[in-house]
Amino acid sequence: MHLQPRILVSGGAGFIGSHLCERLLAEGANVLCVDNFFTGSRKNVEHLLDQKSFEVSRHDVTFPLYVEVDQIYNLACPASPVHYQHDPVQTTKTSVHGAINMLGLAKRLRARILQASTSEVYGDPSVHPQTEDYWGNVNPIGPRSCYDEGKRCAETLFFDYWRQHRVRIRVARIFNTYGPRMHPNDGRVVSNFVVQALLARDITVYGDGEQTRSFCYVDDMVDALVKLMAAPDTVTGPINLGNPEQYSMLQLASQVIELTGSRSRIVHRPKPQDDPRQRCPDVAQAKSALGWQPTTALTEGLKRTIAYFERLLSDQNLRKQLAEAQ
Ligand code: NAD
Ligand code: UDP
């Protein structure tokens, strides 16, 4: 008999996953983190390793997993365009085979399972802000398709397991999330700009910089994921989770320069193919079904993120490596 829930977090050694593990442990759960360490690392969870209720296991979710748990958070998948395009076939396998394996596990155990889906299922959206009933505008054969279509297929699998096998699903459509423990080299915009500013390097704005994103601080996101898992089984989603404040990349670059007091200049680089022009969640469903809305303003979240990268860059070796890679 287990009094505390046993929770599996796939991708638990990644950016969001490590914060989620921390939060679940603080709430008294037994947490099993599985990860193949492609973009995540043991370092992200090493401060949790001395807790008896925490376990980490190297495992690739494209292979079946046999464990006993009550809840599953399926976060395993590289999230940065640079990383998910590095081995696109593996990215699709991770989303699709990973979903099949995790759903099979949830079916056998009658466990609740939450999928970390993404705003990328909307592609380059023609509806603003994006509501959950919008079907999206996705290129099925472009460089982002391995991620976008992989995640869309995973959503299909989740809803088919729910209709066909009554698996207790929750599908979260996560919008751009940022904060401490983003990989300094993972190519996403917040980590790129902050690291560039701290190293006094040029800030690389892709295209004209007028494209928008909405940035959610990681603590707010973890809060939403935990609330969604705790919601009644009727709350299957898909449900948008993100911060509805929209910024252009030029605005973000200026904020980062101001908050770091950097002397970096803004330079423009070519815009990647299929880069969405505009992205902003409608979070009305999250508000009504979960009583959730983000509370961390961008300035506050950026300050905490900058403080994290400042600490990280105090390691002179890493500083040198990053300076060479930039
Ligand atoms: P991340 O890259 O830091 O974390 C992903 C984790 O999954 C890493 O630890 C990685 O090693 C692991 N992983 C990758 N492939 C795996 C495999 N085959 N088997 C086992 N582990 C594997 O990214 P993140 O930002 O923490 O994203 C977590 C989840 O949230 C992802 O599913 C991502 O698609 C989703 N998401 C994130 C964002 C965001 O802005 N951060 C936005 C939308 C969706
Ligand atoms: N971007 C940028 N400079 C960078 C990295 C990204 O201007 O150094 C832009 C990118 O073209 C996109 C936005 O920032 O328009 C967000 O990119 P990211 O890779 O963080 O996430 P996406 O939302 O595109 O998956």
Side-chain angles (χ1 to χ4, degrees), residues 274-326:
D274 297 338
D275 195 293
R277 285 293 308 165
Q278 224 177 332
R279 192 186 281 152
C280 180
D282 179 319
V283 289
Q285 272 205 42
K287 272 186 201 160
S288 61
L290 309 178
W292 173 87
Q293 60 183 358
T295 56
T296 314
L298 183 64
T299 331
E300 182 50 39
L302 281 178
K303 281 185 191 160
R304 294 185 210 165
T305 309
I306 290 165
Y308 167 77
F309 280 112
E310 270 172 343
R311 277 197 305 278
L312 203 70
L313 293 174
S314 62
D315 173 344
Q316 291 305 323
N317 285 334
L318 178 70
R319 209 181 168 88
K320 203 164 150 244
Q321 273 171 34
L322 285 170
E324 280 163 11
Q326 290 276 321

Side-chain angles (χ1 to χ4, degrees), residues 81 120 144 176 187-189 192-193 204-206 211 213 249 272 275 279:
E120 288 286 323
R144 295 176 85 100
N176 296 61
R188 281 184 275 186
V189 69
N192 266 13
F193 285 4
T204 54
V205 168
Y206 300 161
Q211 70 270 35
R213 294 293 186 272
M249 295 312 101
D275 195 293
R279 192 186 281 152

Side-chain angles (χ1 to χ4, degrees), residues 15-16 35-36 38-40 60-61 75 147 151 174 177 188:
F15 158 53
I16 300 179
D35 203 296
N36 70 351
F38 172 47
T39 51
D60 185 323
V61 293
L75 270 63
Y147 184 72
K151 289 283 189 179
I174 300 175
T177 301
R188 281 184 275 186

Side-chain angles (χ1 to χ4, degrees), residues 211-228:
Q211 70 270 35
T212 68
R213 294 293 186 272
S214 312
F215 297 103
C216 185
Y217 188 65
V218 64
D219 289 356
D220 285 334
M221 182 55 63
V222 165
D223 218 33
L225 295 173
V226 170
K227 281 199 155 83
L228 179 55

Side-chain angles (χ1 to χ4, degrees), residues 10-18 34-41 44 59-62 74-80 83 90 93-94 115-120 147 151 173-178 181-183 186 188:
S10 81
F15 158 53
I16 300 179
S18 61
V34 301
D35 203 296
N36 70 351
F37 304 118
F38 172 47
T39 51
S41 83
N44 284 339
H59 173 78
D60 185 323
V61 293
T62 61
N74 186 34
L75 270 63
C77 187
S80 150
H83 284 146
Q90 171 68 8
K93 281 187 186 168
T94 294
Q115 166 68 354
S117 189
T118 168
S119 51
E120 288 286 323
Y147 184 72
K151 289 283 189 179
R173 289 189 178 151
I174 300 175
F175 283 64
N176 296 61
T177 301
Y178 71 100
R181 293 196 210 119
M182 291 185 90
H183 196 288
D186 89 354
R188 281 184 275 186

Side-chain angles (χ1 to χ4, degrees), residues 44-319:
N44 284 339
V45 288
E46 105 190 318
H47 61 296
L48 305 174
L49 287 172
D50 59 356
Q51 300 195 35
K52 276 206 305 282
S53 42
F54 185 62
E55 230 182 303
V56 189
S57 175
R58 181 188 292 271
H59 173 78
D60 185 323
V61 293
T62 61
F63 297 96
L65 178 67
Y66 299 95
V67 291
E68 309 299 317
V69 290
D70 307 300
Q71 298 176 11
I72 302 168
Y73 287 86
N74 186 34
L75 270 63
C77 187
S80 150
V82 175
H83 284 146
Y84 68 64
Q85 289 170 24
H86 170 75
D87 184 349
V89 173
Q90 171 68 8
T91 299
T92 302
K93 281 187 186 168
T94 294
S95 279
V96 177
H97 293 214
I100 291 171
N101 289 327
M102 290 297 124
L103 283 161
L105 185 63
K107 181 180 161 213
R108 175 172 72 79
L109 300 171
R110 299 187 193 289
R112 295 183 192 177
I113 179 166
L114 184 151
Q115 166 68 354
S117 189
T118 168
S119 51
E120 288 286 323
V121 300
Y122 300 122
D124 190 5
S126 48
V127 166
H128 300 286
Q130 290 84 60
T131 45
E132 290 87 348
D133 57 2
Y134 174 53
W135 289 354
N137 174 32
V138 176
N139 177 355
I141 57 166
R144 295 176 85 100
S145 312
C146 57
Y147 184 72
D148 300 9
E149 295 290 17
K151 289 283 189 179
R152 284 167 70 94
C153 183
E155 286 202 8
T156 306
L157 283 161
F158 267 70
F159 277 86
D160 283 334
Y161 268 77
W162 172 67
R163 276 186 290 263
Q164 203 175 326
H165 301 299
R166 307 312 300 168
V167 169
R168 303 159 74 194
I169 64 159
R170 281 103 175 109
V171 173
R173 289 189 178 151
I174 300 175
F175 283 64
N176 296 61
T177 301
Y178 71 100
R181 293 196 210 119
M182 291 185 90
H183 196 288
N185 230 352
D186 89 354
R188 281 184 275 186
V189 69
V190 173
S191 44
N192 266 13
F193 285 4
V194 170
V195 170
Q196 288 164 345
L198 292 176
L199 294 175
R201 300 271 151 160
D202 290 345
I203 300 221
T204 54
V205 168
Y206 300 161
D208 59 11
E210 295 299 337
Q211 70 270 35
T212 68
R213 294 293 186 272
S214 312
F215 297 103
C216 185
Y217 188 65
V218 64
D219 289 356
D220 285 334
M221 182 55 63
V222 165
D223 218 33
L225 295 173
V226 170
K227 281 199 155 83
L228 179 55
M229 185 63 100
D233 286 348
T234 45
V235 185
T236 58
I239 191 158
N240 288 340
L241 300 179
N243 192 319
E245 273 184 23
Q246 211 179 161
Y247 294 88
S248 74
M249 295 312 101
L250 279 175
Q251 287 172 323
L252 178 70
S254 307
Q255 280 236 29
V256 170
I257 290 174
E258 195 183 314
L259 292 171
T260 50
S262 173
R263 52 189 164 81
S264 291
R265 296 172 313 141
I266 292 176
V267 297
H268 291 266
R269 295 280 177 266
K271 191 147 94 83
Q273 189 190 327
D274 297 338
D275 195 293
R277 285 293 308 165
Q278 224 177 332
R279 192 186 281 152
C280 180
D282 179 319
V283 289
Q285 272 205 42
K287 272 186 201 160
S288 61
L290 309 178
W292 173 87
Q293 60 183 358
T295 56
T296 314
L298 183 64
T299 331
E300 182 50 39
L302 281 178
K303 281 185 191 160
R304 294 185 210 165
T305 309
I306 290 165
Y308 167 77
F309 280 112
E310 270 172 343
R311 277 197 305 278
L312 203 70
L313 293 174
S314 62
D315 173 344
Q316 291 305 323
N317 285 334
L318 178 70
R319 209 181 168 88

